[in-house]
Amino acid sequence: MADDDILGADPAIRVSSGGPNRSGGRELLSAAHEAASETAVAEVGSTGVPALEPLVLATADGESAFFSRCPPERVGSIVETLEAGELPTEGVMAVVKHEPGTSRLPRPANGPLSVGTRTVLGTCGWAVPTSPEDYPADGFIASEIGDSNEAIAQVAEAKLRGRGRGDAAADVPIADRWELAREAAGEAAIVINANEADRRATTDRVLLESAPLAVLDGALAAGRALDATNILVYCNEADELAQERAAEAAAVLEDELEEGISIEVLAGPDEYKAGEATMAIEALEGNHRLEARLRPPYPSEEGLHGRPTLVHTPRTLVQVGEILADGDSSSSEGSSATGTRLFSVASEGDVSGDDETSAPTTVELAAEEDLATAREAIEFDGHLKAACVGGVFGGLTRTLDVPARANALRAAGLGTNGVIELFGEEECMVAFAGNRAVFGEEENCGRCVPCREGTQQLTNLLREVYHGEYESEGIRELLRVMDTTSICSFGRDASRPTRTAIEAFETEFRAHANGRCPAGVCK
Amino acid sequence: MSSKSNTSDPIWEHTEESEEQRSRLEEMIAPGTASDPNVESEENATVTIDGRSITLEAGATLLDGLEQMNTEGYVPALCSYDHEEKIGPRSECRTCMVETDEHGVVPSCSFPAEEGMTVHTDADAAAEARDVNLDLLLGNHNLRCTTCGKNGRCELQNVSIENGVEEPRYGVFDDREEYEPIDDSSAFIQIDRNKCILCNRCVEACNDVQVAGVLRMEGSGSDTRIGFQNTEETMMESTCVSCGHCVTVCPTGALVEQGLVDSSTIPLPGFTHKNSIGKIAGEDYTGQARTMTPMIQDQYTENEPVVEVVNRRAGTGTDTHQEADD
Ligand code: SF4
Ligand code: SF4
Ligand code: SF4
Ligand code: FES
């Protein structure tokens, strides 16, 4: 069972962990509970930086000490020192002064937690994820939603675009889809799409684990604005902690708000395609096999069982919450109103995801910040040869001087699924393209020709490069057709890795056709 | 999925089956395909196609407009079928792409005709898309027309000729090692999946029109194939009632009546459809008397939902499963 609440407690011990390193966190937690007599102890979610976790935070008198990757045997002495009236500092990663009782994680001056901004991440790793007492003081946003016109107008004015590939309104203004949903016949449903099988892309999982109330509150607010009757939280079967937190948060919200909207938590397959917005709906409807649906009409008009359905990611919904919480302060200045974006950052080779030390680091960037900022959040020595932005079907770029906005990312040919992978000199760009094409060939749903057959022929054409034939025009033509004619984002996105690899590194393709791998990787 | 008219059903179905029974059957049917939204227009719409204006009645897609005129560019629209017939649009082949001023390049067979749309069939991007997608289909097709039972009455062959295909960009599927065996087990219908373009017409004919619930789409990626809902491997072991509807709608030589398997092939001594591939499943059955099998089996083994309920609170909301219009 989750701890009650921790904000305002003094002295306090927090144990922050999530996803892959939660079992380590539980161990520290029971050690802390055992040692503590007058210190409040609570389990909190991940800060988004698994490299530091399990992380123990010792707080007293407006000061917090950070113990990263804390060994279990150290916990006893940390608690002891704290209870003796002193802030423990031996082996500490950082000590940060802050306002006593602050509702947001105090940020060290250095290291990954100092990078970018922490707005939607603010409570992650600090508040007890499912505690209503720890939820920001002004209370639940959903309870404030009265007039649907007003809520939709606020979201429209903020020009909020859907975040991530699992959002049915990815990169387009979500208010347009809300309008369609409101006009469509039938009672609306809201799907929170948190099923991301790409282990490079962890931002939605982090939000659901560490700030599930914010995610569900955003969804409930949307639900009220649209008179929805159901919210379905669609998780990945492998993300057990996210499922658990979502279920607890749902119970809390139903008790607190006596809401007329029912909330269900469901677990879909750990497959990349299952995260596509319409395949999410297919899964939720109980199909035994997944394939994408045609569009238009979009799910917002005809979705779950034919009902108007909003499919949004946790990332989108926390932004909805931010906008609606700001409410009347309609003076919100232009561009920053588009909100922050979350990125999972890792260097290549690190993204297996099962290994706790290598899970990606979450970074939040304001719209005017460049992706380059995110680089500081992880250890990456040496020359940056390229970055892949957008996840498994992201785009390659030689420069990270690209603003963290959907249209800027798109204009640079990059993906918007919130992932930055850093590649050093030893990475071969032809092998990169080949691997991503094979992934597309193996994982697609099989419905449409440009994707099903296109990924297969793309793989063949890339194989031919190794046999001395690099057909630049033929490959580009195929990529164009995959991009313009695939039914869903899977096939469109699957064209991106090769297209951007050719744009930025064509000499490597020519070199391979001449039997040479410049990175010295391919035989 | 569009019109609910039962005009294509045999007369006896209505006497033997009440609506209630029929809907119970529909619920048990698991074709493995997505439930698409209704892509037909809601109102009459006047659209401009290649500079000429045409008014289409409600219930139309752009393709309905294209079919009524001589378009500038040839639009194969291979996988489309008369949508009045409860079949399609599956919209998988993407050889019906056209350019629109409003929405860019779109599949005409599944795009609602909207008032005022302007369509160009000969735009470069659309023509390129149609050509490439047709070649992609041929790239995974066993193009041995001379030994095919549909030679001369094959829609894929027709559109390829009409589209001026001479040498498909990606070659043709010609790797004997990887051929799927021909399913020759049924006395009535032969299946050659090496010729299947996955248009899904047969599945819809079998499920939505006949409500026989035999065929389904299975697998994913390059393993996507036509299979049987009772999870058996051959037509003989399936629950097929041999109505033949699937064969009628199949655009290629993937489904052929046994009597016609070699009817339209060019006679080459010793060269037949079967030995063109060299792998045959279910030969033992040939000649066996065909017994009728029950239409629907009580139990399917692989049709479990992919999603699992973690937590469902009663709440005060309604069940998610409700009709949109009630
Ligand atoms: S683009 Fe790929 S994943 Fe999407 S419908 Fe087509 S085959 Fe399926
Ligand atoms: S012949 Fe068999 S498989 Fe074909 S439509 Fe009829 S019942 Fe279905
Ligand atoms: S067997 Fe024929 S009708 Fe069925 S999907 Fe294949 S090509 Fe289409
Ligand atoms: S005819 Fe439109 S996609 Fe096949």
Side-chain angles (χ1 to χ4, degrees), chain B residues 249-290:
Chain B
V249 298
C250 181
T252 69
L255 292 173
V256 183
E257 303 88 332
Q258 284 287 16
L260 300 176
V261 164
D262 285 320
S263 70
S264 44
T265 59
I266 296 170
L268 294 176
F271 204 35
T272 66
H273 183 213
K274 280 185 208 169
N275 73 17
S276 79
I277 284 184
K279 288 187 199 167
I280 296 152
E283 257 186 320
D284 333 339
Y285 294 122
T286 315
Q288 273 183 22
R290 185 72 173 78

Side-chain angles (χ1 to χ4, degrees), chain A residues 5 108 256 317 330 401 414 437 459:
Chain A
D5 62 304
E256 295 281 320
L317 292 167
S330 47
D401 297 334
L414 306 178
T459 309

Side-chain angles (χ1 to χ4, degrees), chain B residues 33-321:
Chain B
T33 49
S35 307
D36 286 320
N38 181 7
V39 297
E40 296 170 344
S41 61
E42 281 167 16
E43 298 161 359
N44 292 5
T46 302
V47 300
T48 307
I49 299 173
D50 292 340
R52 275 173 303 153
S53 134
I54 180 169
T55 301
L56 300 164
E57 282 178 19
T61 64
L62 289 179
L63 184 60
D64 294 320
L66 300 181
E67 277 171 350
Q68 291 177 39
M69 51 173 56
N70 273 325
T71 52
E72 297 286 330
Y74 171 60
V75 180
L78 177 59
C79 76
S80 72
Y81 197 74
D82 192 347
H83 51 121
E84 309 276 283
E85 300 277 334
K86 282 191 177 181
I87 291 179
R90 175 70 174 165
S91 204
E92 62 96 23
C93 75
R94 314 307 258 188
T95 66
C96 65
M97 306 305 292
V98 294
E99 192 164 292
T100 63
D101 289 353
E102 296 77 15
H103 304 282
V105 176
V106 302
S108 60
C109 74
S110 61
F111 207 92
E114 288 167 8
E115 179 61 32
M117 275 183 93
T118 304
V119 177
H120 311 276
T121 61
D122 56 349
D124 289 345
E128 174 181 87
R130 296 190 300 259
D131 292 350
V132 166
N133 284 330
L134 182 55
D135 278 2
L136 281 171
L137 267 176
L138 293 169
N140 198 6
H141 189 83
N142 167 14
L143 204 60
R144 290 166 183 249
C145 297
T146 50
T147 58
C148 180
K150 282 271 179 78
N151 195 6
R153 54 191 185 106
C154 165
E155 292 179 40
L156 178 60
Q157 192 181 49
N158 290 345
V159 302
S160 300
I161 293 167
E162 188 121 4
N163 208 48
V165 176
E166 275 167 17
E167 246 181 82
R169 287 169 175 74
Y170 314 106
V172 296
F173 182 49
D174 197 20
D175 184 347
R176 274 175 172 262
E177 291 302 299
E178 294 196 3
Y179 281 147
E180 273 223 49
I182 290 176
D183 179 353
D184 200 30
S185 63
S186 151
F188 300 96
I189 294 161
Q190 190 191 71
I191 310 180
D192 182 354
R193 292 187 176 82
N194 306 289
K195 295 186 186 289
C196 174
I197 62 163
L198 298 173
C199 69
N200 201 47
R201 284 185 199 173
C202 57
V203 176
E204 285 174 64
C206 188
N207 294 289
D208 300 348
V209 184
Q210 296 299 334
V211 204
V214 178
L215 296 175
R216 69 170 184 183
M217 193 63 81
E218 61 185 24
S220 61
S222 42
D223 298 327
T224 312
R225 72 204 278 269
I226 298 304
F228 306 105
Q229 291 182 30
N230 68 354
T231 72
E232 292 293 349
E233 254 311 299
T234 63
M235 196 75 164
M236 178 67 188
E237 295 160 297
S238 79
T239 51
C240 172
V241 297
S242 304
C243 70
H245 203 121
C246 54
V247 178
T248 317
V249 298
C250 181
T252 69
L255 292 173
V256 183
E257 303 88 332
Q258 284 287 16
L260 300 176
V261 164
D262 285 320
S263 70
S264 44
T265 59
I266 296 170
L268 294 176
F271 204 35
T272 66
H273 183 213
K274 280 185 208 169
N275 73 17
S276 79
I277 284 184
K279 288 187 199 167
I280 296 152
E283 257 186 320
D284 333 339
Y285 294 122
T286 315
Q288 273 183 22
R290 185 72 173 78
T291 46
M292 287 284 204
T293 36
M295 291 231 298
I296 305 279
Q297 288 206 334
D298 285 342
Q299 261 180 336
Y300 297 135
T301 47
E302 291 176 14
N303 295 338
E304 293 298 316
V306 293
V307 77
E308 243 181 76
V309 178
V310 174
N311 157 289
R312 172 172 282 153
R313 296 197 19 126
T316 41
T318 42
D319 190 342
T320 52
H321 198 310

